[in-house]
Amino acid sequence: MSFINKLKNKFKQNENKEEVSKKYQEGMTKTRNSFSSKINDLIARYRKVDEDFFEELEEVLITADVGVTTVMDLVEELKMEVKRQNIKDTNGIKDIISEKLVEIYYGDDQAEIEKLNIQEQGLSVILVVGVNGVGKTTSIGKLAHQLKQEGKNVILAAGDTFRAGAIEQLEVWGERAEVDVIKHNAGSDPAAVIFDAIKAAKSRQADVLICDTAGRLQNKVNLMNELSKVKRVIEREIPGAPHEVLLVLDATTGQNALSQAKTFSEATNVSGIVLTKLDGTAKGGIVLAIRNELHIPVKFVGLGEQVEDLQEFDANAFVYGLFADLGTEAGEE
């Protein structure tokens, strides 16, 4: 039985996981269509696994924005595995590719890397960073909604005081999720907003405080300084916080998302990625590039417009969404 069919059967045995795998399958249609057709075409043209096959496979993976470094690592592993298993026919390689992608994502870590670091007692602080236009405020709103559904008392801090409409946008999401929003006037000091939000969260015995931050200032240095200042205020008021620094990236920007991740990591020690608009791109391989090259786990992915379409990331479901069309061979169950 192929690795993809093993995943399929595993999902079928758990109703929640099956629902999640369906969301990935539907949400990753664009990436899968591009990826699967190219892999199938490659396999149709090459009957045997040779150096030319691997060269073209590298191109296919790079086109899906898996990232050059990750592709080189993957192809090296594939060559070793092909040799070890003495695979001559290209049909036998599909399964190994899917299996190796899951291995590359998790490495020596456990699947728990995707879980949010929410404290069992006291206030958990989540700092959310990212450039304007990536879906930061929307992601905060969707995350607040999910945590509220789990029975958590959530408060939002409108720390993006520089962008016109950012405070109002967060307030709209606060109303939708039925959570309080702590705000100051536009142009106020973001660190002061976060300070007041922490005080309010403590006095209201909130479980989670999610802090929005600026996505753009006059220049990159100013923005990073502002984020560092906000982080220092949080650390001073709540030792050990922020418990998560989530960087929101737009999947449709591909390799540009990778360079954004590098920049923000230098200023804020990013602990996890929220990858939005995965359903709108053929470049879904960026998930693997981020994990392999920056060693930052993807914690959530956006697979649609609805509130529930912000999904906790699952590398097995992701690879299944990527290879679902390749998994079912004729006569294979």
Side-chain angles (χ1 to χ4, degrees):
M1 184 188 285
S2 78
F3 179 69
I4 291 299
N5 281 312
K6 280 177 189 170
L7 284 181
K8 189 177 184 179
N9 288 345
K10 184 179 166 187
F11 295 142
K12 272 185 177 176
Q13 288 161 19
N14 182 317
E15 204 175 312
N16 289 341
K17 281 192 175 290
E18 188 175 20
E19 191 58 38
V20 168
S21 76
K22 279 179 185 169
K23 280 187 179 290
Y24 273 86
Q25 214 179 330
E26 289 162 11
M28 291 182 62
T29 303
K30 285 190 178 178
T31 296
R32 186 172 62 257
N33 286 350
S34 164
F35 193 78
S36 294
S37 61
K38 285 175 182 170
I39 295 270
N40 280 332
D41 177 56
L42 190 59
I43 284 165
R45 285 188 293 110
Y46 287 88
R47 287 296 170 199
K48 60 177 185 170
V49 181
D50 56 17
E51 202 55 46
D52 289 341
F53 171 81
F54 280 120
E55 269 188 34
E56 283 213 43
L57 179 62
E58 281 177 13
E59 281 182 38
V60 169
L61 292 164
I62 288 168
T63 307
D65 261 8
V66 173
V68 176
T69 308
T70 310
V71 169
M72 296 307 167
D73 291 347
L74 175 62
V75 169
E76 236 9 82
E77 294 237 356
L78 286 172
K79 284 179 179 176
M80 284 165 62
E81 198 61 31
V82 162
K83 208 171 186 179
R84 192 180 71 80
Q85 293 188 32
N86 196 26
I87 292 169
K88 306 288 185 191
D89 189 89
T90 50
N91 272 316
I93 205 168
K94 289 189 220 176
D95 211 42
I96 300 171
I97 295 171
S98 53
E99 207 163 345
K100 288 294 172 190
L101 286 175
V102 171
E103 280 179 25
I104 274 183
Y105 186 84
Y106 284 125
D108 297 326
D109 294 316
Q110 299 302 310
E112 290 300 303
I113 55 174
E114 288 110 21
K115 298 287 181 193
L116 272 185
N117 180 23
I118 301 293
Q119 305 302 291
E120 286 184 23
Q121 291 183 326
L123 179 64
S124 298
V125 181
I126 300 173
L127 187 63
V128 184
V129 301
V131 300
N132 290 346
V134 293
K136 185 158 51 79
T137 312
T138 303
S139 297
I140 290 170
K142 289 179 178 180
L143 181 57
H145 172 81
Q146 285 186 19
L147 292 168
K148 182 84 189 295
Q149 295 296 106
E150 291 169 17
K152 301 277 193 294
N153 179 2
V154 183
I155 288 179
L156 305 181
D160 186 358
T161 59
F162 301 108
R163 180 171 66 87
I167 298 167
E168 290 82 358
Q169 194 184 350
L170 195 69
E171 280 187 296
V172 169
W173 273 106
E175 285 172 19
R176 282 182 196 165
E178 298 180 340
V179 300
D180 291 342
V181 178
I182 307 302
K183 61 171 186 173
H184 285 192
N185 293 328
S188 302
D189 178 8
V193 179
I194 303 303
F195 177 81
D196 283 356
I198 290 170
K199 294 294 180 199
K202 283 179 175 177
S203 69
R204 298 174 199 183
Q205 296 185 309
D207 300 305
V208 183
L209 171 65
I210 307 177
C211 306
D212 192 8
T213 59
R216 197 180 90 222
L217 290 180
Q218 300 92 315
N219 59 52
K220 193 167 74 175
V221 174
N222 282 17
L223 174 58
M224 296 306 144
N225 287 344
E226 193 61 63
L227 291 176
S228 298
K229 182 181 168 188
V230 164
K231 196 161 177 274
R232 283 197 302 274
V233 168
I234 295 170
E235 287 167 347
R236 189 184 69 220
E237 296 304 311
I238 304 177
H243 303 97
E244 288 279 5
V245 179
L246 298 180
L247 170 61
V248 183
L249 297 172
D250 179 342
T252 63
T253 62
Q255 289 298 305
N256 190 33
L258 203 60
S259 61
Q260 283 176 30
K262 286 174 184 170
T263 303
F264 277 93
S265 292
E266 287 162 14
T268 55
N269 298 325
V270 174
S271 61
I273 303 288
V274 179
L275 196 63
T276 63
K277 308 174 194 175
L278 190 59
D279 58 313
T281 182
K283 300 180 175 185
I286 194 66
V287 167
L288 297 153
I290 289 166
R291 175 69 182 145
N292 194 47
E293 293 178 37
L294 299 178
H295 309 292
I296 303 170
V298 176
K299 299 225 170 182
F300 291 93
V301 288
L303 295 169
E305 298 298 318
Q306 303 305 313
V307 170
E308 62 276 8
D309 290 334
L310 184 69
Q311 285 287 318
E312 199 172 82
F313 184 68
D314 181 325
N316 283 301
F318 171 80
V319 169
Y320 181 69
L322 200 58
F323 285 92
D325 297 345
L326 295 176
T328 39
E329 302 292 333
E332 192 175 3
E333 286 299 327

